[in-house]
């Protein structure tokens, strides 16, 4: 099987990861605005859990996206999505425990997050960004050219 002639896998994975983080943060903000709720609504958990969760999910996205981009198969975006959501949930628990919250509170917050609109937003943004990274790798597009750039070759 020949490799696609698109963008190099590390570059495509990098751009997809940056896009994922931007989309997820923007999506969380708009979801919070529309539902008038907090992303992680557990009193006593603090902001550390959300920060750790987002960082861990971005790292998981980057690692799995690199593998998906190297394979250049669109169904791999589903695995990237699953790994990213799982990493976010693990990040809530780990971040909560590291910042001094009770383990039960951290697990409860992760469970509450998994049943919220925010989990759907995270899943959709990771799937869309993963698909875009794979598409970037598979593209055979070249730089744009004006019609007159190759006039001398046509003669």
């Amino acid at each position: 099987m020949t490799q696609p002639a698109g963008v190099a896998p590390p570059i495509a994975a990098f751009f997809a990861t940056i896009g994922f983080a931007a989309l997820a943060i923007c999506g969380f903000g708009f979801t919070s605005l529309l539902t008038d709720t907090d992303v992680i609504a557990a009193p006593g958990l603090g902001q550390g859990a959300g920060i750790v969760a987002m960082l861990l999910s971005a790292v998981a996205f980057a690692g799995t996206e690199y593998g998906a981009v190297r394979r250049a198969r669109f169904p791999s975006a589903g695995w990237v999505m699953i790994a990213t959501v799982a990493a976010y949930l693990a990040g809530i628990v780990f971040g909560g425990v590291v910042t001094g919250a009770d383990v039960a509170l951290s697990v409860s917050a992760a469970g509450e997050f998994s049943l919220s609109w925010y989990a759907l937003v995270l899943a959709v943004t990771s799937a869309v960004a993963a698909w875009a990274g794979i598409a970037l790798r598979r593209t055979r597009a070249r730089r744009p050219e004006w019609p007159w750039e190759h006039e001398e070759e046509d003669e």
Side-chain angles (χ1 to χ4, degrees), residues 73-87:
R73 302 269 184 216
F74 287 115
S76 300
W79 293 108
V80 174
M81 176 190 67
I82 291 168
T84 303
V85 172

Side-chain angles (χ1 to χ4, degrees), residues 52 92-101 106:
V52 171
I92 291 173
V93 174
F94 181 70
V97 171
V98 166
T99 57
S106 300

Side-chain angles (χ1 to χ4, degrees), residues 20 24 28 57 84-85 88 113 117-127:
F20 158 70
F28 283 173
S57 69
T84 303
V85 172
Y88 195 90
F113 178 87
W117 287 106
Y118 298 103
L120 179 64
V121 168
L122 184 68
V124 169
T125 57
S126 62

Side-chain angles (χ1 to χ4, degrees), residues 103-138:
V103 176
L105 176 65
S106 300
V107 171
S108 165
E112 186 177 334
F113 178 87
S114 68
L115 298 174
S116 70
W117 287 106
Y118 298 103
L120 179 64
V121 168
L122 184 68
V124 169
T125 57
S126 62
V128 166
W131 184 91
I134 295 167
L136 187 61
R137 171 71 176 137
R138 289 178 57 129

Side-chain angles (χ1 to χ4, degrees), residues 1 24 90 152-153:
M1 182 178 131
E152 64 276 354
E153 293 175 6

Side-chain angles (χ1 to χ4, degrees), residues 5 7 10 16 27 31 42-43 61-62 69 86 89-90 124 138-140 143 155:
V7 176
T31 305
F61 179 90
V69 166
L89 295 174
V124 169
R138 289 178 57 129
T139 186
R140 299 196 190 289
R143 70 174 183 83
E155 296 175 1

